[in-house]
Amino acid sequence: MIYGIGTDICDVRRIRASLERHGDRFAGKILSEAEFKTWKERSARWPERGVRYLATRFSAKEAFSKAIGMGMVMPMTWRLCEIGKLASGKPTVVLHGVLKEWFEARGLSAHVSVTDETDYAASFCVVEKIAP
């Protein structure tokens, strides 16, 4: 059964401007430790790829927060929600701490899709209630 659906579109130029203004501190507020490490590696090789990585993570977390129906209110925080990827490359939602506990207590499962183009990153998230 569908619990919630969320979508988000993010202007990559806005993310780039925030990075220029606040540097690593901005990325550190949005990304989990694992995401931050990946962001640093991608940014070192190709700065634009790093900006797009950050924009897709920002967008996916916004879409997830909408799908669970709470926005950025505890237990939902930027760093407790991680967008990882499976060996196949498929993006996946990885939760931590109190957000993970909240999510699992409700028997929920999440599916996320991310994409980016020159100026925009977009995400779509479906959260479903797993049958008991």
Side-chain angles (χ1 to χ4, degrees), residues 29-41:
K29 288 184 132 187
I30 305 301
L31 303 173
S32 70
E33 286 182 33
E35 290 170 323
F36 190 84
K37 181 180 178 212
T38 301
W39 172 72
K40 288 296 272 184
E41 291 168 356

Side-chain angles (χ1 to χ4, degrees), residues 14-15 18-19 22-31 54 58:
R14 190 177 117 217
I15 297 297
S18 292
L19 276 172
H22 305 289
D24 287 8
R25 197 175 81 222
F26 174 70
K29 288 184 132 187
I30 305 301
L31 303 173
L54 181 55
F58 185 97

